[in-house]
Amino acid sequence: MPNTSATGGYLLGVLPDNLVLRRFIGGVIVAVTGLSTGLVRPRWQPNPPAIPTADIGWCAFGVTQSAPDASAVVQLNEDGDAGILTRQEEVSVLASFYGPNVSGYSELLRDGLELSQNREAMFLNGMGLKEVGPSAHVPELINEIWFDRVDLPLIIRREIRRNYSLLSFLQANAPGSFIRTETLEIPL
């Protein structure tokens, strides 16, 4: 059982579910490019599906880096029985398009993310698009066949909230009370 701030020791947060983030990013790519769900896949899967043939357009994407802001904010919830840590994070995503018209798909994603309506789902989930980087044409040799490929880097900014069992002084379970003994005045 996790500790609270009343028991001392380390406070345990909830392990983040990064699968949810990957599914969300994949859904955005599907919606903006028009590629079918089966043709937009996360990179680095434990059991990767078969690679489509060179004449089929598809996308592999993955989170390559996450950079948190320098500090987080911790506030007690309304009941004073839990602390909420909030921080901002920049998530770098690499979307690699394969097959015919790879430049077209990367341009659809780049330009489609400029439309506020296409970013609305991100906004509603505490995210926003910070930057779309320059695309890079990097053909790839797979099973002795050259696949046309374009890499498009994205930076998504998101808010992260974690709950911890922090208790306020007002909930202290110790006998006694707080007494204000003097007021400190600081001259200006």
Side-chain angles (χ1 to χ4, degrees):
M1 178 167 193
N3 288 339
T4 69
S5 56
T7 60
Y10 293 105
L11 297 175
L12 181 62
V14 176
L15 187 64
D17 186 355
N18 291 319
L19 180 60
V20 172
L21 176 63
R22 287 198 311 266
R23 285 184 180 149
F24 181 81
I25 292 170
V28 170
I29 294 171
V30 166
V32 174
T33 64
L35 286 167
S36 70
T37 303
L39 295 176
V40 176
R41 351 175 129 177
R43 298 179 180 275
W44 313 299
Q45 297 183 49
N47 298 308
I51 295 173
T53 59
D55 61 335
I56 294 176
W58 62 285
C59 176
F61 69 94
V63 173
T64 57
Q65 183 178 358
S66 63
D69 279 354
S71 59
V73 174
V74 179
Q75 297 174 307
L76 289 174
N77 67 5
E78 293 92 23
D79 299 332
D81 62 356
I84 301 169
L85 179 139
T86 305
R87 79 162 49 240
Q88 299 292 316
E89 173 183 56
E90 289 184 2
V91 178
S92 299
V93 176
L94 183 64
S96 297
F97 294 92
Y98 294 86
N101 204 7
V102 291
S103 294
Y105 283 118
S106 70
E107 291 167 10
L108 275 176
L109 182 59
R110 177 196 68 203
D111 295 341
L113 288 175
E114 292 297 320
L115 303 174
S116 61
Q117 184 171 337
N118 287 348
R119 293 190 318 268
E120 183 178 9
M122 295 171 77
F123 175 76
L124 294 173
N125 284 279
M127 296 183 215
L129 179 68
K130 180 180 180 194
E131 180 180 329
V132 177
S135 62
H137 187 238
V138 285
E140 183 176 349
L141 186 63
I142 302 172
N143 296 330
E144 299 182 28
I145 298 172
W146 281 102
F147 281 71
D148 206 8
R149 178 177 126 199
V150 168
D151 288 346
L152 185 68
L154 309 169
I155 299 177
I156 296 170
R157 191 159 177 81
R158 72 175 180 155
E159 180 179 83
I160 296 177
R161 291 177 170 249
R162 298 192 200 294
N163 293 323
Y164 288 89
S165 296
L166 294 173
L167 305 175
S168 74
F169 282 115
L170 299 176
Q171 289 186 310
N173 214 8
S177 60
F178 293 101
I179 300 171
R180 184 175 179 174
T181 58
E182 65 180 79
T183 302
L184 177 65
E185 292 186 27
I186 300 174
L188 297 176

